[in-house]
Amino acid sequence: MSNALKRGGIPLLIVAIAAVIAAVMISSKAPPEKKDVEEKAFLVQATPVEKQDLTYTVNSQGTVKPKVATTLSTQVGGKVVEVSDTFIEGGMFRKGDVLVQLEQSDYTTDLKAAEAELARAKAALEEEQARGKVAEEEWRSVKSSPAPELGLRKPQLAKEMANVRAAEAQLERAKRNLERTTIRAPYDGLVKSKLVDLGQFVTAGSQLGSIFGTELAEVRLPLTDKDLAYLDLNLVNNNQTEVTLTTRVAGRDAAWTAKLARSEGVLDEQRRVLYVVATVEDPYLRKAGAEGNVLNFGRFVQASIGGNKGTDVVVLPREVVRLDGTVLVVTDNREIELRNVTIQRSDEKYHYIVSGLDSGELVTTSAIPNPYNGMVVRLPEDDAEQNESTDEATETELAVSGER
């Protein structure tokens, strides 16, 4: 009985002793040190603003077209006997170059016939003039009174003079028709399309092809009423407003300088926009010494138009200005101030503010949930200054400990 008691009591004794020891250790352990948790102010990003004078730009877009486009046609008929090598789609030509030559044989014959008719008419006129002189002398030898016009053959003389003028007119027409068999380029340009070829017979009025002038290109640019508020149309119509045209050519950005030549003066009834026309000189770089990128007709370009000037303007990204027209300003005390501002203009990226902000003031560029006036914030440079101060204090304490 005693052995069984010993065997059951020893484990219980061991457990009791362990519990006592654990209780003593727990009671003798020092409580954890309590540290006050410092709540930091909300961290924000802010940037100082600056007032500036600027020129507003108005953006638009359009397609490059030639200022002069012509459909070539014949004034006389005939067979095509020669076509210039430059008279082909994309071919370049200069003013006065022969593009198409028609057969001239019949017109040369007509010219010779007109010359002969003029010579006959002049001979008949000289003959009639001589007859008039003879008739006048005969009248004077017989009578002393003035001779009648019929007696002096003046009506016959007027008739022959009219025949001469008619013959001269026929000769001039024959010369013009002969010249018209040679179709020349009316200006420097390029061929858009070609509709005739060697051996083809054409009649008067037949179309030979389409050509474009390369001296000047035009771009029609649509502008809304909102855009027009930043343009001076008097300068537009006087060719004094500069335009920058941009696009990508062969995978690279390209730009050209143009000028607004005029406004079309009538609002488009469907789109409710006013078209202005920008012009570019020598788009195909055909003048001597011309450099840059060729501006092909038919290319779509973006246009940036220089508009009115603004003074003391603060430019801020659109996301910085809140929907209620306020911005969050960080004061010197690192507090938020909800500031009302006056926006003069807005575009896809920026708001242009003319009042409500002064140069040097800090405007937050980061999102703040539920901001309010007096809200305490901190800036990244504040943390940097605090860390620097802490490091200096630590170094000082270490130096004092080392001296001891």
Side-chain angles (χ1 to χ4, degrees):
M1 187 72 178
S2 60
N3 292 333
L5 181 61
K6 290 181 180 179
R7 286 195 300 270
I10 292 174
L12 292 176
L13 180 61
I14 293 173
V15 171
I17 294 173
V20 171
I21 293 173
V24 172
M25 293 179 64
I26 292 173
S27 62
S28 62
K29 183 179 179 181
E33 181 180 357
K34 294 183 179 180
K35 294 183 178 180
D36 295 332
V37 178
E38 180 182 359
E39 293 186 4
K40 291 187 176 181
F42 194 86
L43 178 65
V44 298
Q45 298 285 342
T47 182
V49 297
E50 294 293 335
K51 291 186 175 181
Q52 57 181 303
D53 296 339
L54 52 79
T55 299
Y56 288 116
T57 58
V58 176
N59 297 320
S60 187
Q61 63 283 320
T63 301
V64 181
K65 295 182 178 180
K67 182 178 181 180
V68 180
T70 305
T71 299
L72 285 181
S73 58
T74 59
Q75 292 180 279
V76 296
K79 184 173 70 174
V80 178
V81 295
E82 183 180 347
V83 176
S84 172
D85 292 339
T86 60
F87 192 64
I88 191 172
E89 284 81 355
M92 296 283 188
F93 53 80
R94 292 290 185 182
K95 181 178 180 179
D97 289 351
V98 177
L99 301 179
V100 178
Q101 179 65 58
L102 303 182
E103 189 177 22
Q104 295 183 328
S105 301
D106 292 341
Y107 299 99
T108 302
T109 301
D110 292 343
L111 177 61
K112 291 179 179 180
E115 290 174 343
E117 179 61 24
L118 177 60
R120 186 201 64 76
K122 286 182 177 180
L125 175 61
E126 291 176 359
E127 182 180 353
E128 191 58 44
Q129 288 173 340
R131 287 179 180 178
K133 289 181 180 180
V134 172
E136 184 178 3
E137 291 175 357
E138 289 179 350
W139 182 270
R140 288 179 180 177
S141 64
V142 176
K143 298 181 180 181
S144 59
S145 60
E149 291 186 356
L150 184 60
L152 296 179
R153 301 184 64 84
K154 287 186 177 181
Q156 292 85 342
L157 179 62
K159 176 183 176 181
E160 296 302 333
M161 292 178 67
N163 289 338
V164 170
R165 287 195 293 269
E168 290 175 343
Q170 291 179 359
L171 179 60
E172 290 175 0
R173 181 181 294 109
K175 288 181 178 179
R176 286 197 300 269
N177 287 339
L178 181 60
E179 291 176 354
R180 288 167 178 169
T181 59
T182 303
I183 291 85
R184 298 181 181 274
Y187 43 72
D188 294 351
L190 62 84
V191 179
K192 174 64 169 59
S193 63
K194 170 187 173 185
L195 302 177
V196 295
D197 218 325
L198 285 173
Q200 184 174 344
F201 184 85
V202 296
T203 59
S206 297
Q207 294 186 2
L208 306 178
S210 298
I211 59 174
F212 291 159
T214 55
E215 295 182 354
L216 208 62
E218 290 188 341
V219 185
R220 293 179 74 229
L221 303 172
L223 299 177
T224 63
D225 278 338
K226 184 178 179 181
D227 295 329
L228 293 174
Y230 302 97
L231 290 178
D232 187 342
L233 290 182
N234 291 326
L235 297 179
V236 170
N237 292 321
N238 290 327
N239 204 32
Q240 297 181 21
T241 303
E242 288 194 354
V243 182
T244 300
L245 304 178
T246 58
T247 189
R248 291 185 66 82
V249 178
R252 297 181 179 179
D253 292 333
W256 299 266
T257 299
K259 287 190 175 182
L260 287 187
R262 65 187 186 278
S263 68
E264 294 188 353
V266 179
L267 285 174
D268 184 277
E269 295 181 358
Q270 295 181 347
R271 301 183 60 189
R272 309 310 302 170
V273 295
L274 177 69
Y275 283 94
V276 295
V277 179
T279 58
V280 180
E281 294 184 358
D282 193 24
Y284 281 81
L285 307 180
R286 304 192 65 189
K287 293 182 180 179
E291 297 179 353
N293 297 298
V294 171
L295 181 58
N296 300 95
F297 296 140
R299 187 176 292 281
F300 187 81
V301 294
Q302 301 292 331
S304 178
I305 307 170
N308 298 333
K309 296 184 180 299
T311 57
D312 294 336
V313 179
V314 174
V315 183
L316 291 179
R318 290 183 65 94
E319 60 272 13
V320 172
V321 181
R322 291 154 50 89
L323 295 179
D324 58 357
T326 61
V327 296
L328 303 181
V329 177
V330 180
T331 65
D332 294 338
N333 296 328
R334 296 299 188 258
E335 294 180 350
I336 290 294
E337 178 185 346
L338 276 66
R339 185 79 59 81
N340 290 310
V341 295
T342 302
I343 300 174
Q344 186 178 60
R345 187 191 177 200
S346 300
D347 56 25
E348 294 82 359
K349 295 182 178 180
Y350 301 103
H351 287 302
Y352 300 86
I353 298 169
V354 293
S355 66
L357 293 173
D358 293 325
S359 294
E361 288 190 306
L362 295 176
V363 173
T364 61
T365 57
S366 55
I368 302 178
N370 302 319
Y372 55 88
N373 283 317
M375 178 179 179
V376 179
V377 294
R378 74 182 197 279
L379 302 178
E381 53 264 32
D382 297 338
D383 289 346
E385 292 176 359
Q386 183 177 2
N387 293 334
E388 184 177 352
S389 300
T390 302
D391 292 341
E392 291 179 355
T394 302
E395 291 178 358
T396 302
E397 291 178 358
L398 293 175
V400 171
S401 300
E403 291 176 357
R404 293 177 179 176

